[in-house]
Amino acid sequence: MERKCTNLPFLVLMQTSKAIHEKIKKEMTRNNLNITEFSVLEVLYQKGKQTIQQIRNSILISSGSMTYIIDKLEQRDLLNSDEAETLVNLLKKVRN
């Protein structure tokens, strides 16, 4: 037996959420990114230059994983980091 949702605002919100999720997944696949890499880039895009600790707090991952992800993204020329200050920033070509 199929039940219909009678809460139209909730239904619209869920459909919109699903469409956004599918669009993000498509873009991640196209750019060969996993969800953690995408999350790091998204934090930097939204907030600008951040310390590794600030990024970790935003996406809630361990410090070992964070270092690995930052290194991978830096090798792909998607961001740069300053070892002395542990600041991470998107490269201009990614930001545009």
Side-chain angles (χ1 to χ4, degrees):
M1 185 168 128
E2 188 177 318
R3 291 176 43 185
K4 289 190 176 186
C5 180
T6 58
N7 186 342
L8 187 57
F10 177 75
L11 182 60
V12 170
L13 177 64
M14 294 309 294
Q15 289 171 336
T16 303
S17 175
K18 182 179 178 186
I20 291 169
H21 178 75
E22 289 172 0
K23 176 73 172 167
I24 290 171
K25 187 175 178 181
K26 181 179 176 183
E27 288 299 313
M28 286 175 24
T29 301
R30 187 173 66 83
N31 290 291
N32 195 28
L33 296 169
N34 65 39
I35 189 66
T36 307
E37 295 165 339
F38 178 84
S39 297
V40 168
L41 294 174
E42 195 270 336
V43 166
L44 293 170
Y45 182 79
Q46 295 294 327
K47 297 183 177 182
K49 190 179 284 191
Q50 299 282 298
T51 65
I52 291 175
Q53 181 67 33
Q54 289 170 314
I55 298 168
R56 279 184 52 221
N57 290 341
S58 294
I59 62 173
L60 305 173
I61 64 169
S62 70
S63 60
S65 296
M66 187 77 244
T67 301
Y68 175 74
I69 296 298
I70 296 295
D71 289 346
K72 275 181 60 176
L73 293 172
E74 199 166 20
Q75 288 172 2
R76 292 175 60 190
D77 290 329
L78 297 174
L79 55 78
N80 61 356
S81 63
D82 179 346
E83 292 286 329
E85 297 180 36
T86 64
L87 289 174
V88 180
N89 197 16
L90 282 177
L91 293 178
K92 283 187 178 183
K93 71 177 184 178
V94 177
R95 191 169 284 284
N96 294 331

